[in-house]
Structure formats: structure tokens, C-alpha cells
Amino acid sequence: MKIKYIFRLFWGLAFFALISSANAQINVVPIDPYTAVQDVLLGEGVAAFNVQYTGSNVAMGKFTTTPLSLPFTRGIILSTGLATGASGPASTNRSTDNLTGSDPQLAGVVTAVVKDAAVLEFDFIPESDTVRFRYIFASEEYPEFVGGTFNDVFGFFISGANPSGGNYSNKNIALIPNTNTPVSINNVNDHTNMSYYVANNSSTTLAYDGRTVVLTAWARVVPCTQYHIKLAIGDVGDGIYDSGVFLEANSFTSPRVLITPTFLSDISPGNSIEGCSDAQLTIKMPFVPSYDYPLDYYLSGSATRNLDYTLNPYDPDYIIFPAGSDSVTIVIHPINDLIQEPTETILFILKTSLCFDIFDTISINIINRDSLILEVVSDTLVCNGMTANMEAQVEGGMPPLQYLWDSGVTDLTQSVLPTDSVSMYVFKVTDACDYTATDTVILVKSNVSINLRSDTIICEGGTVPLYGTGTGPLIWEGLVGETPIVSPTQQTQYIASVTNICGTASDTVIVAVDLIPYFSLGYDTIVCDQYPIQIGVPFEDGFTFLWSNGYTSNKLDINSAGEYVLNISRGVCSFSDTINIGAGFCDWWIPNSFTPDMTGFNDIFKPYGVPIYQYELIIYDRWGEVVFRSTNWSEGWDGTYKNQKVPVSIYVYQIWGETANSKMKVLLKQDRLTLIR
């Protein structure tokens, strides 16, 4: 018989009226089995279904408490008596016979009869290679009945595929750590496995006299495979002296893929900065893959990869976990695109479930890094005995900014009294992103001076820059800017001056203008071996001539077909012209003078020989007026114009017709003729 039962029954009756939920620090409320599993027990990485409960309705509940009562503060309790009886103090007696039956798996753990069984069971699919949950076993059997036959029993029985081979068949995973020994009153107490036992005699919030520390039940599983688990507890030997097992809320897990963002700088907490502060995503698998394991991901958001940021490593479709590695680190490097724009966002969408289409989204903000803009303002010319005041003007950058002159001054301003004729002072500003900007001031200690470029010559229509040096800005008379570009049409003198605190100085530069030697080689024509022609220009002095065949005269005798180019230079100007001379029909000739005196000899001017196709003869007077034109090979000029005799003079004639290698009408010959009377 149980002496403790009689004593505690009396104690419980005497103090029952003092127990109220208002004072209890463990609060237990009824809950249905489905809600108990889906909303309380389950954590990440597990899908559960086919939830069933066997036992008394009063033996299961949802509890909440404080860390002073239990190490975890909420979850599910399965009890062999009243679930609400878990509320303390320990000096009260919790002993309720629910008059319910046994369970085959519990009965297989002990040799005595199992009563008041409370069994919560369900099917589940884990997303990783491990399933685990945390629990505490507590009992009123402690400590008086340790080693006896009243060894209340509980177990967590899993069934399904064993990754090592075969199947689990109601394998109990409520074991003492690193053993195959089930957790029970006789196996965990103040004499056996003491490190896992907590004496609870003096507790004011938990009614059970003893309990375990927080233990973890776990099993190796095959991801994405269906399993069944049974969570069961029962009285052994009789139906009194309650025991309970507390299951921590959200601890029934099979870890999913975990993605953790970190920012490599605290300049702007929670943000990445263009060209300055990277973001880092650490992605951890719930197991170590034995092969290169791909995981789906997507990129979205207002930021564009390779324009606004880069990923390293990058694969367009998957995150690849190398065989033997359960984590991958991706560095997001924001690109400093030098564009001032609103904050951009990267949405990194990762499939965190290995079994279902469940995605987590990590949002990474990219903020602009304001460029450092620096200008040092100071006098650049200092006369003897004068102090120069320098001031650095800084805009942008990521604060805080650090200032430093090469003299060691750490302010934006400094005053100096230069001793050298030329002194250089350097100012540097550094922002929090370790970007720097540097500006230099050169102080010249001297009198006012100016030195312009040397005089020069340009070709007509050309331009030339004006420049020079001085101890101050150059001011050009009638021009704008310190280095104006001019294009005079004739020789021109330009004047510039420099004025500073030491006075004014001026200088001049002369720009002369050469004219372009324009000319023409005339129409394209033909030549015959027996009738050479001469091409060129009539002027010589002051010019330089260069033909495409290397000759340097102003005229060239031609007896072969080809393209002839003449370049004429004068000063800095030059001009070129081209004439194409083809090979022609040369079975004809023409005199260079005639006497139209009607004597019957040499009275008509015309060509003689084989007629020319598309023939035309044109004769011009000295003023360029056409005095004769004919396309009849047999017709010539008789020295008249408009039925009047023309005066004795020199005339120009042209003969047009086909060439030997073309059916086009071209100028075959142009020359002078002399009319004699």
C-alpha cells in the first residue's frame, strides 16, 4: 500500500481550498488535440497531419508559466491525472485516477500494468535529416517510490524509414542522453543519473515533487518522408500519484534552411552602402549534403544585379552547397554607380523548405554613398611678409569625417606664413567608408609676373589656343576665359594681363595668318604616247610643289594614263587637287594654228584621222566665250563668229569623245590654237 497516498490525500483535502489559478504560476487550460499539435507543439520544418488523442480529456492541456517555475514557459502537458494539477506548490498532493486504460507501446517498456494512459499521436513529414523536441518529465512518485514497482512510464515512439537502413517501428526516443536507456523514475533520480534530476520538494509553483532537467528527444530521419510519432504517458501499478510530461512549445522541429543577413559595417546599421559596406548572407542547410546540393532562389526588388550590386558567388538559378558543406556565404557588394537615387532594395527570396514550396524573403537596403567633394580656398600669391589663410570646403561623404593638413592641423582652416618662393600645402579628408579626397594649394611668394605663349602662325580658317602662366588669373583683352581659342582672319596681336596684390603685369602674343593656295588641275582627260600633254599651275615663286609621283616642279609632262595628285604648300597652309588621265584613241591629230584666208590651204581648223565616237569640238576666245561648237567630224571652224571674221589671236579648243576603255564622253584634249591672217 502507499502510505504517502493517505497522508497527501488528507493534506490535499485540507488545503484544496487554498489553490486557485489566480495564485498559481503554472496556468493550464484545456486544448483540443489538433490545436495542441498544429498551433503549440510544432516548430519550423515539420508538416503534421492525422492528429489523434487517446485518453481522458482532463489529462492534456496547454500550459503557460514563468522561468521561475519551468525552464520553458509554454507548451503542452500530458498527464496521468489532471493536467491542471501541475500547478503547485509541491507540498500539495496530485493524485487522480482517470480510470482510462493502457497503451501497447507503454506496456512494452515496463513489466507492471499501465493505467491512465494519455496518448497524443500524429503523422509528420520532416524537412531535414533530424527531428527533435524538448521536454521535462515530472512526477509525484518522486522521491518516495524510486526503485519500486510504481514506476510511472512515458515514451516517444517513432515509426518510419531509418536512414541507416530498414525502418523504425515504435522506437522510443525518450532516452537518457548518449544512451539507449529510457527516461523514467527509476532511471533518473537523486541516486541515478543525478545530473538530469531536479528535486522539487520546496517549489511553490510546480506540484510534482521531482522532475528532470530539460531533455531533448531526437531521431535521424529521411527528409521529406512521412513518419508517425506517439507521445504517451501512463501510471504503472495503480492509477494514483500523477506524473506529467511537459512538451515545449514550437520545439518539435526539423530545421529548415536558415538564412542570416549580416552587414559588414555599422556606419549605417541595417543598410549596405554603395561602394562601401557589403551585406553578407549566410545560408545554412539543416544537414551536410553528400553531393553538390542546389537550392532555388530568386532576386527581386528595385535594385538590379550588375548595375546596382554584385553577388559572389553567383549562379542564375541555384544556391549550390558543395558536397560535405552545410553552409554557403554570399557577399552582396553594392556598386558605387555615382548616381544620386532613392534607397534601393534587394529582395533575396530563398526556398527554405526542402519538401514544400516555402520561401523566406530577406530585404537588403542599398543607400547612396555621398561622394566627397573637396575644394581648398586660399590665396595663391603671397607677397613678402603676408599671411595666407586657407579654408577647406567639404561636401558629401559618409560621416564622421576626418580632416588633416600635411602640417598636422586637423581643422578645416589654417593660416601660414610661407618662407619659400613656392610652397605646397595638402589637405586630405577621409570619410567613414575610408574614401579620401585630396586637394593641393600652391602658394607663390613673388612679385606679379606673366609669360604668354610664343607668337605663332595659323592657316586661314584655323584656330589656335591662347595661354600662358602668371602669378594670378590671365585676363585677355576682348576675350573670355584664361585659355581662349581664337581664329583671326589677318595678323592680330592679343594682350593679356595679371593683377594681384603685388600689382599688374601684361604680355602680348601675335598670331599671323597664311592663305590657302587654292588651284585646279582642270578636267580629267586622256593622253596618247605620241601626243604628251602638260598639266600643272602657272605660278612658282613662294610655293612648294609635290606631285604624287615625287616630282617637285609646278608643271608635269604626261605621256601615260593614271591618277596625278599635286599638293601645293605655302607657309603652314597647303592644298591638293587630283586629275585622272586615261588612255585614248590616238589615230587622229589636230594642228595648233590655221590661216582662214580662203587660199585653199589650212583654211579650216579641225582634227584629222579616224573619227571619234561622241565627238564634239568647242572653241573659246580669250574671254571664255564659245565662238564655235560642232559634233560633225567633217565640219571645222572657218575663223568666223556670227558671220563675222574674228581677230587674229590665241584661242582655246576642247575635243570631247570616248576613251579607249570607256563608253563615256570625256575631255580628250584641251590646248591653244593660233589664228593667223
Side-chain angles (χ1 to χ4, degrees), residues 373-378 390-394 404-406 424-429 436-442:
I373 301 174
L374 168 63
E375 180 183 9
V376 176
V377 179
S378 174
M390 303 178 185
E391 180 183 2
Q393 298 177 351
V394 180
L404 181 64
W405 294 89
D406 56 355
M424 183 173 68
Y425 300 88
V426 180
F427 176 82
K428 182 171 74 171
V429 57
T436 63
T438 302
D439 197 9
T440 300
V441 173
I442 296 178

Side-chain angles (χ1 to χ4, degrees), residues 641-663:
Y641 177 59
K642 295 182 178 181
N643 297 320
Q644 298 292 324
K645 291 182 179 181
V646 300
V648 172
S649 184
I650 294 176
Y651 295 81
V652 175
Y653 69 90
Q654 292 179 341
I655 296 178
W656 294 76
E658 291 184 5
T659 65
N661 55 2
S662 170
K663 298 302 180 180

Side-chain angles (χ1 to χ4, degrees), residues 102-415:
S102 180
D103 174 80
Q105 276 66 53
L106 291 177
V109 176
V110 295
T111 57
V113 176
V114 176
K115 298 183 177 182
D116 292 337
V119 180
L120 180 64
E121 55 187 316
F122 53 89
D123 294 328
F124 69 94
I125 296 176
E127 295 189 21
S128 72
D129 64 350
T130 305
V131 64
R132 67 184 69 233
F133 57 95
R134 302 209 310 163
Y135 68 94
I136 294 172
F137 172 66
S139 179
E140 284 280 33
E141 302 283 357
Y142 284 119
E144 292 88 345
F145 300 102
V146 171
T149 58
F150 302 105
N151 185 20
D152 287 354
V153 65
F154 78 102
F156 307 139
F157 305 98
I158 188 170
S159 298
N162 184 341
S164 299
N167 292 288
Y168 299 128
S169 179
N170 290 309
K171 174 180 172 58
N172 186 8
I173 60 174
L175 304 175
I176 296 172
N178 303 314
T179 73
N180 290 318
T181 304
V183 177
S184 67
I185 293 173
N186 286 345
N187 293 334
V188 178
N189 50 64
D190 56 354
H191 299 291
T192 305
N193 294 308
M194 294 178 291
S195 61
Y196 303 115
Y197 176 71
V198 178
N200 197 55
N201 308 68
S202 60
S203 173
T204 60
T205 58
L206 179 62
Y208 302 120
D209 287 352
R211 67 172 178 85
T212 67
V213 298
V214 177
L215 299 173
T216 300
W218 67 279
R220 302 287 292 178
V221 292
V222 178
C224 306
T225 302
Q226 182 172 329
Y227 286 83
H228 183 83
I229 193 165
K230 175 189 287 189
L231 312 174
I233 188 171
D235 279 327
V236 175
D238 56 22
I240 57 176
Y241 283 85
D242 298 341
S243 296
V245 61
F246 296 87
L247 308 174
E248 183 180 20
N250 307 125
S251 69
F252 195 97
T253 60
S254 181
R256 287 180 182 161
V257 176
L258 179 64
I259 178 169
T260 304
T262 55
F263 297 89
L264 304 186
S265 171
D266 58 358
I267 298 171
S268 179
N271 295 307
S272 57
I273 305 171
E274 289 186 353
C276 173
S277 174
D278 293 346
Q280 184 172 283
L281 299 178
T282 301
I283 305 171
K284 184 173 177 58
M285 287 280 284
F287 61 91
V288 178
S290 59
Y291 58 92
D292 289 352
Y293 194 98
L295 197 62
D296 292 342
Y297 83 104
Y298 306 95
L299 293 173
S300 185
S302 58
T304 303
R305 189 183 66 83
N306 286 344
L307 292 180
D308 299 308
Y309 66 93
T310 60
L311 292 183
N312 185 29
Y314 171 72
D315 183 280
D317 300 309
Y318 303 103
I319 302 297
I320 305 297
F321 291 82
S325 176
D326 65 350
S327 66
V328 170
T329 297
I330 297 177
V331 176
I332 299 175
H333 175 69
I335 298 172
N336 186 16
D337 56 14
L338 303 179
I339 300 173
Q340 292 300 313
E341 55 198 342
T343 296
E344 297 170 300
T345 302
I346 306 169
L347 297 181
F348 193 92
I349 306 168
L350 178 70
K351 185 177 182 182
T352 53
S353 170
L354 305 182
C355 308
F356 310 103
D357 287 334
I358 298 175
F359 293 82
D360 281 353
T361 299
I362 300 296
S363 179
I364 305 292
N365 288 332
I366 300 176
I367 63 175
N368 289 315
R369 185 192 70 80
D370 292 337
S371 298
L372 278 171
I373 301 174
L374 168 63
E375 180 183 9
V376 176
V377 179
S378 174
D379 298 327
T380 56
L381 183 67
V382 180
C383 293
N384 289 333
M386 293 185 62
T387 297
N389 298 314
M390 303 178 185
E391 180 183 2
Q393 298 177 351
V394 180
E395 295 182 10
M398 298 300 295
L401 305 180
Q402 297 179 351
Y403 311 120
L404 181 64
W405 294 89
D406 56 355
S407 62
V409 175
T410 57
D411 294 328
L412 286 170
T413 62
Q414 74 167 346
S415 297

Side-chain angles (χ1 to χ4, degrees), residues 9 95 161 191 259 282 453 481 522 527 604 615 661:
L9 178 60
S95 182
H191 299 291
I259 178 169
T282 301
R453 65 164 296 166
V527 66
I604 302 297
Y615 163 79
N661 55 2

Side-chain angles (χ1 to χ4, degrees), residues 562-598:
E563 179 184 81
Y564 296 86
V565 181
L566 174 60
N567 180 272
I568 300 179
S569 301
R570 180 174 58 188
V572 298
C573 299
S574 64
F575 188 78
S576 297
D577 193 24
T578 301
I579 185 170
N580 288 291
I581 297 177
F585 293 107
C586 298
D587 296 331
W588 53 270
W589 65 276
I590 190 167
N592 57 13
S593 64
F594 78 116
T595 56
D597 51 8
M598 308 305 293

Side-chain angles (χ1 to χ4, degrees), residues 515-537:
L515 300 179
I516 298 175
Y518 294 107
F519 70 93
S520 174
L521 290 177
Y523 295 106
D524 293 345
T525 186
I526 65 170
V527 66
C528 300
D529 291 340
Q530 65 270 44
Y531 300 112
I533 63 174
Q534 188 177 72
I535 59 175
V537 294

